[in-house]
Amino acid sequence: MHNRSRTRPVAAVVKLALASALVLPVLAGCGGDSGGTAASGSPPSRAVAASPSTASPSAASLSAAGTPAFVGTVEVLSAEARQRMTGVSWRPGCPVGLDDLRLLRLSYVDFDGTARVGELVVHRAIADPVVRVFGRLYAARFPIRSMQTIEAYGGSDDASMAADNTSAFNCRNVPNTTHWSNHAYGRAIDVNTVENPYLPGKQIMPSAGKEYLDRRNVRPGMIVAGDVVVTAFKAEGFAWGGAWKTGVDYQHFEKP
């Protein structure tokens, strides 16, 4: 949640079959020039598929028969998405324009072991790396509680954190400051916010995170040094807030 201060429309679509012990292949880059506008219809797309499967259900039971193929899509924001975001997570004057943001649809495994597809909005520059990260987390079956864009919570970071929601873009300041969070640039992601609280000063955010202050007692959904989450993000050049000396932020990953 915290942050250290600071078209050609093209959509890249990836459907990658994962073996439980294998790492995802590299996703092809997402193109597009900044400053353009989205086309009125569906944007052109490119696809890289490692399996012939055509679509992944929004919820599919994991079983001994195998894990549903990982789905990761990168899309320019549609007119509907722009309308939904405007006045909620984005407004004129934000440090990044809607043309530079991308909507990701990503497979994840929930705490019941069910494969689902959630959504994140991120800056186009980190879209492909984020897909690769969550592909690795899906392969490892790292549990994620929820993955909805911040509009589901009326743009409230507090409400999203309280719901243990994994989210990314939100045009807001760092709490208790007047400077932009990296979330306002679409360059930060918060993962499992209850299991991985933000600790500014003597605060615990969200408050339910107090049950997870003992980081030696590792439970499902927690992020600790050297684990699959930290390793996957680090491999893509992200910094982890859990390693900061002040304002420790276990849920937070950001990329300049």
Side-chain angles (χ1 to χ4, degrees):
M1 179 195 138
H2 179 63
N3 166 49
R4 300 267 166 118
S5 65
R6 20 189 220 287
T7 123
R8 243 170 310 191
V10 179
V13 179
V14 175
K15 296 181 181 178
L16 300 175
L18 300 177
S20 59
L22 296 180
V23 176
L24 278 179
V26 174
L27 174 68
C30 174
D33 299 324
S34 62
T37 56
S40 58
S42 298
S45 63
R46 292 182 288 111
V48 176
S51 77
S53 62
T54 58
S56 176
S58 59
S61 237
L62 296 177
S63 69
T67 304
F70 173 76
V71 173
T73 68
V74 178
E75 306 168 11
V76 296
L77 298 179
S78 66
E80 179 183 0
R82 290 167 181 248
Q83 182 177 11
R84 184 172 63 247
M85 293 170 63
T86 301
V88 181
S89 65
W90 183 89
R91 62 190 180 278
C94 288
V96 65
L98 291 171
D99 290 341
D100 283 329
L101 297 175
R102 297 292 183 266
L103 175 66
L104 310 186
R105 291 189 173 90
L106 302 166
S107 296
Y108 69 94
V109 177
D110 70 14
F111 278 66
D112 293 324
T114 299
R116 300 188 178 276
V117 176
E119 295 184 336
L120 295 177
V121 171
V122 302
H123 193 281
R124 64 189 179 94
I126 70 167
D128 291 354
V130 171
V131 171
R132 291 193 291 268
V133 167
F134 281 89
R136 293 182 181 111
L137 301 191
Y138 185 72
R141 298 190 180 184
F142 175 81
I144 293 174
R145 184 80 61 187
S146 168
M147 190 189 296
Q148 300 184 79
T149 61
I150 203 72
E151 293 80 47
Y153 300 91
S156 170
D157 188 54
D158 289 340
S160 178
M161 283 196 298
D164 205 13
N165 184 54
T166 293
S167 67
F169 175 76
N170 191 10
C171 184
R172 61 173 177 81
N173 291 339
V174 175
N176 306 314
T177 77
T178 58
H179 60 264
W180 293 116
S181 164
N182 260 349
H183 289 282
Y185 295 87
R187 291 178 174 273
I189 299 169
D190 293 338
V191 180
N192 286 350
T193 49
V194 170
E195 291 80 10
N196 304 289
Y198 170 42
L199 308 175
K202 296 183 179 180
Q203 288 182 280
I204 302 170
M205 301 176 69
S207 59
K210 65 184 178 182
E211 300 298 327
Y212 295 89
L213 293 182
D214 182 0
R215 307 307 288 180
R216 296 167 299 180
N217 180 17
V218 181
R219 284 151 284 171
M222 290 177 64
I223 300 168
V224 295
D227 72 0
V228 64
V229 186
V230 175
T231 300
F233 273 104
K234 184 177 180 180
E236 298 294 341
F238 285 80
W240 177 43
W244 294 342
K245 295 185 181 300
T246 59
V248 174
D249 198 349
Y250 294 113
Q251 64 196 247
H252 181 92
F253 294 89
E254 66 179 36
K255 185 170 184 177

